Amino acid sequence: MRPQAFLSFLKTHFCSMDNHSENFSPEESLLVIQTMIDRTKNSVADKSFYFLLWGWLVFVTALLQFVLKVIVQTPQHPAVWNLMFIGVIASIWYGRKEKGKIRVKTYIDENIRHVWIGIGISQILLVFIFSRNQHWEYCYTFFMLLYAIGCFITGRILKFAPLVWGAVASWVLVIVSTFSTYDYNILLLATAILLSYIIPGHLLKRKYKHQL
């Protein structure tokens, strides 16, 4: 981080704590905002373990389901999604591992976290809804829609174009899925994950390593 940005951040922080009435110039205000965005980019990239873990896990699982359903033609193909428990276990393990490390959180960090918590809860509810009415042929369309919303909001907040374009690609795939069959909607889901999660996640991680 640039020294000017860090000093401006400290200045804003301590002034707000002391209830000072000092006003910042527009340039200083923009610098503080950019500092928060840069910090959040680093935080997201530094924690890209979650981003890439779930991206690759869903991608591989979707491809495996397609193989089991279309090529092997086994009726037990939905059971492959039990692999998601691997992601839960790995996330808990990694979270405990990182718990002792000092992390600087910003307001933007919290907003992004709340967005993805909301999307995660919505996905769980969708699974419950489709398990009740058994119309699984429509589920991947809604999942892709949620992925697109989350990536678009995150990309716009971070000003990271690959996430935004990944979201746009997912929206296009959502439209395509309404003209496709259930079998090929599985492949569309895998494609949406590749474009909106995996590729942007690797690019963000590479950018973070380059900055370091």
Side-chain angles (χ1 to χ4, degrees):
M1 188 196 316
R2 292 169 296 183
Q4 300 95 320
F6 181 70
L7 290 174
S8 182
F9 177 81
L10 291 178
K11 184 178 179 183
T12 304
H13 177 68
F14 285 110
C15 283
S16 62
M17 290 179 61
D18 296 334
N19 294 319
H20 288 171
S21 59
E22 180 181 356
N23 294 322
F24 292 102
S25 67
E27 292 78 10
E28 288 178 318
S29 300
L30 290 175
L31 188 58
V32 171
I33 295 172
Q34 186 60 49
T35 300
M36 294 178 66
I37 292 174
D38 289 341
R39 282 174 173 267
T40 304
K41 282 183 179 180
N42 289 346
S43 176
V44 172
D46 195 25
K47 288 179 177 283
S48 59
F49 173 85
Y50 298 107
F51 221 157
L52 297 176
L53 166 69
W54 287 101
W56 279 111
L57 188 58
V58 173
F59 178 77
V60 171
T61 304
L63 293 181
L64 186 56
Q65 184 189 15
F66 180 81
V67 171
L68 293 176
K69 186 177 189 302
V70 178
I71 300 177
V72 180
Q73 297 183 352
T74 172
Q76 304 301 323
H77 62 88
V80 74
W81 288 101
N82 288 323
L83 291 174
M84 294 300 104
F85 287 108
I86 296 176
V88 174
I89 295 173
S91 296
I92 293 174
W93 170 80
Y94 189 79
R96 289 181 176 178
K97 178 182 175 183
E98 296 290 297
K99 190 175 182 180
K101 296 182 179 180
I102 299 176
R103 299 291 180 184
V104 179
K105 290 185 179 181
T106 67
Y107 181 72
I108 296 176
D109 282 312
E110 292 298 310
N111 281 340
I112 293 178
R113 185 171 68 90
H114 292 153
V115 166
W116 286 104
I117 288 176
I119 289 175
I121 294 173
S122 299
Q123 289 178 326
I124 293 173
L125 291 176
L126 279 178
V127 171
F128 173 76
I129 292 170
F130 285 114
S131 64
R132 293 279 295 172
N133 57 37
Q134 297 300 315
H135 290 302
W136 290 103
E137 64 272 20
Y138 304 116
C139 67
Y140 296 128
T141 298
F142 289 94
F143 287 145
M144 287 188 288
L145 186 60
L146 288 175
Y147 293 144
I149 293 172
C151 290
F152 181 81
I153 294 175
T154 304
R156 291 298 297 167
I157 291 176
L158 298 180
K159 297 181 180 180
F160 191 65
L163 277 173
V164 176
W165 286 112
V168 172
S170 293
W171 278 324
V172 173
L173 293 175
V174 166
I175 298 174
V176 174
S177 70
T178 62
F179 298 95
S180 180
T181 62
Y182 174 65
D183 293 350
Y184 290 98
N185 279 350
I186 301 174
L187 291 181
L188 291 178
L189 174 69
T191 304
I193 285 293
L194 179 66
L195 297 176
S196 63
Y197 258 62
I198 297 175
I199 293 177
H202 280 291
L203 291 175
L204 192 58
K205 185 176 182 179
R206 186 176 67 179
K207 183 176 181 179
Y208 171 66
K209 288 183 176 180
H210 178 71
Q211 289 175 344
L212 289 180

